[in-house]
Amino acid sequence: MASTLKINTLTGVSTAGSIAVTGEGNSTTTNLQQGLCKVWIKTPANGASVSDSFNVSSATDSATGQVIVNINNDMGNADYAIGMSTNTNVDQTLIVDQLTGSYDMRTWNGSAYVDIGMRTIVAGDLA
């Protein structure tokens, strides 16, 4: 028998911002909020626009192969994790100037920064 739960807000009972989810083996729990993606973005090859995003207020094409991502709801600190990939092979993908409200993603082909499509995903605590 299938069930449907329709709800707009989930709040923890003992701590409003903490909801434990039982793991697959029923022996461990995961914190729901900690496991959620907080920011993601996909840019096209020219870096001058945003193809799609979540919790991003804007992206600035600061130079060839360099895009500054401005986070809509800031992170709690600058120690969050960022995963990055590209549409094309490059020698390096770099994240520099990682702040609570923004980060700079770059692509390098070994001799210069290059414009290619970039994707990042952020995990960590929101402010």
Side-chain angles (χ1 to χ4, degrees):
M1 177 200 293
S3 299
T4 301
L5 175 65
K6 295 183 179 185
I7 190 166
N8 289 327
T9 304
L10 293 173
T11 303
V13 174
S14 58
T15 305
S18 180
I19 298 173
V21 178
T22 302
E24 296 82 7
N26 295 323
S27 61
T28 60
T29 59
T30 300
N31 182 290
L32 178 64
Q33 289 83 344
Q34 287 291 303
L36 297 174
C37 166
K38 303 306 188 321
V39 177
W40 60 264
I41 186 171
K42 179 183 180 206
T43 64
N46 65 7
S49 62
V50 176
S51 299
D52 205 354
S53 68
F54 172 74
N55 195 24
V56 172
S57 58
S58 64
T60 305
D61 182 8
S62 58
T64 300
Q66 303 176 42
V67 176
I68 298 171
V69 177
N70 297 297
I71 300 170
N72 191 46
N73 296 302
D74 288 356
M75 301 301 292
N77 58 54
D79 296 327
Y80 51 90
I82 301 176
M84 182 174 178
S85 67
T86 62
N87 292 345
T88 308
N89 288 336
V90 291
D91 290 333
Q92 287 184 310
T93 58
L94 307 143
I95 300 293
V96 298
D97 299 328
Q98 185 172 326
L99 308 170
T100 58
S102 66
Y103 58 91
D104 189 344
M105 54 185 186
R106 300 180 182 189
T107 51
W108 179 261
N109 71 1
S111 59
Y113 290 109
V114 291
D115 277 336
I116 60 173
M118 295 184 257
R119 301 175 187 94
T120 56
I121 186 168
V122 173
D125 297 325
L126 290 175

